[in-house]
């Protein structure tokens, strides 16, 4: 049965979260734009559990991302991550936010075509996230030296246009999605068809555990 593990007592004792690393310690060449540690996300505020804008991942997933980055750099591209490990408390915050009908501050930007009360029934917000298991990353592509590529929609855009193979996306944006998907698939990442940015490394290191330690460098360093 899936377990939620906080690791808070262990971290208070001075140990790091087992099996997790900071991506920047393995590959500082991958830019990080951790949106949930800022107000630049669909909730309009810093999300619970995001103490620092850092990408934390289970080590095998981080190492696979580093391998994909090396391949892409040789072709003139770079990955850029938006989110990595996500604590359960952040997922809980998303669910609470979805139940706050009067908070529509970011509707025009993130879900213009979807009524907020439909975000949970339509699957855009869920009570559990693979991110909490540590092997899932939200990521995009940039062209060196750092110009973001057109992917057809923004990150976290709640709309069918965000489906990786959406027929509404053509031309360069469609090609960029395919490039991202192929580059990550070569290193063992599986795309979520409903979100072009969402990839899970398989086999997962922690396939049945939903962690809840905070997103902070201290969580993974002795």
């Amino acid at each position: 049965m899936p377990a939620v593990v906080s690791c808070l007592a262990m971290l208070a004792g001075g140990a790091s979260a087992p099996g997790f690393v900071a991506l920047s310690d393995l590959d500082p060449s991958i830019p990080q734009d951790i949106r949930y540690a800022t107000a630049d996300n669909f909730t309009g505020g810093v999300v619970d559990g995001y103490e620092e804008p850092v990408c934390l991942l289970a080590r095998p997933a981080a190492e696979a991302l580093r391998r994909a980055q090396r391949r892409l750099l040789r072709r003139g591209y770079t990955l850029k991550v938006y989110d990595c490990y996500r604590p359960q408390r952040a997922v809980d915050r998303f669910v609470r936010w979805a139940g706050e009908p009067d908070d529509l501050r970011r509707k025009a930007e993130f879900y213009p075509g979807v009524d907020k009360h439909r975000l949970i029934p339509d699957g855009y917000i869920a009570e559990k996230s693979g991110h909490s298991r540590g092997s899932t990353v939200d990521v995009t592509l940039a062209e060196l030296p750092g110009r973001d590529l057109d992917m057809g929609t923004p990150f976290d855009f709640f709309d069918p246009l965000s489906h990786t193979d959406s027929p509404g996306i053509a031309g360069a944006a469609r090609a960029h999605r395919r490039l991202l998907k192929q580059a990550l698939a070569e290193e063992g990442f599986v795309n979520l068809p409903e979100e072009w940015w969402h990839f899970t490394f398989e086999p997962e290191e922690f396939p049945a555990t939903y962690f809840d330690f905070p997103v902070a460098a201290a969580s993974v360093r002795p």
Side-chain angles (χ1 to χ4, degrees):
M1 188 174 186
V4 176
V5 180
S6 75
C7 295
L8 293 179
M10 179 181 62
L11 292 173
S16 61
F20 281 75
V21 296
L23 179 62
S24 61
D25 289 345
L26 283 184
D27 193 337
S29 77
I30 301 177
Q32 300 184 25
D33 183 9
I34 309 300
R35 298 290 180 87
Y36 302 141
T38 74
D40 185 16
N41 62 74
F42 60 84
T43 73
V46 175
V47 177
D48 299 9
Y50 283 80
E51 297 182 359
E52 295 177 8
V54 295
C55 170
L56 309 180
L57 286 169
R59 180 175 287 276
E63 291 176 343
L65 207 63
R66 177 176 60 178
R67 293 193 299 270
Q69 174 73 345
R70 288 174 176 172
R71 290 175 179 264
L72 286 163
L73 288 175
R74 291 195 291 267
R75 301 176 63 180
Y77 300 102
T78 179
L79 297 168
K80 182 169 81 171
V81 295
Y82 290 125
D83 193 37
C84 300
Y85 159 73
R86 181 185 305 164
Q88 181 62 42
R89 73 191 76 176
V91 179
D92 295 341
R93 171 59 186 138
F94 292 165
V95 172
R96 293 196 304 274
W97 168 85
E100 299 168 354
D102 296 332
D103 184 356
L104 300 174
R105 288 174 290 169
R106 309 303 294 273
K107 178 175 173 56
E109 183 177 357
F110 289 99
Y111 52 107
V114 180
D115 289 337
K116 190 176 183 183
H117 76 275
R118 296 297 313 170
L119 291 177
I120 290 178
D122 290 351
Y124 294 108
I125 302 291
E127 294 182 354
K128 289 285 188 292
S129 170
H131 282 276
S132 302
R133 301 194 296 265
S135 294
T136 294
V137 60
D138 291 337
V139 61
T140 190
L141 279 177
E143 188 174 41
L144 294 175
R147 181 181 64 85
D148 287 358
L149 293 182
D150 177 14
M151 305 301 280
T153 75
F155 163 62
D156 264 355
F157 189 67
F158 301 147
D159 191 275
L161 285 174
S162 292
H163 294 185
T164 306
D165 294 323
S166 169
I169 302 298
R174 190 172 187 86
H176 295 156
R177 291 186 183 189
R178 288 177 173 172
L179 174 60
L180 177 62
K181 183 178 178 180
Q182 179 182 7
L184 291 178
E186 289 174 350
E187 297 300 339
F189 286 92
V190 177
N191 175 240
L192 179 69
E194 290 78 16
E195 298 178 348
W196 61 259
W197 56 82
H198 180 118
F199 293 84
T200 299
F201 177 72
E202 295 184 357
E204 293 186 58
E205 186 77 352
F206 306 104
T209 305
Y210 294 82
F211 292 94
D212 194 38
F213 56 86
V215 176
S219 293
V220 300
R221 294 173 182 162

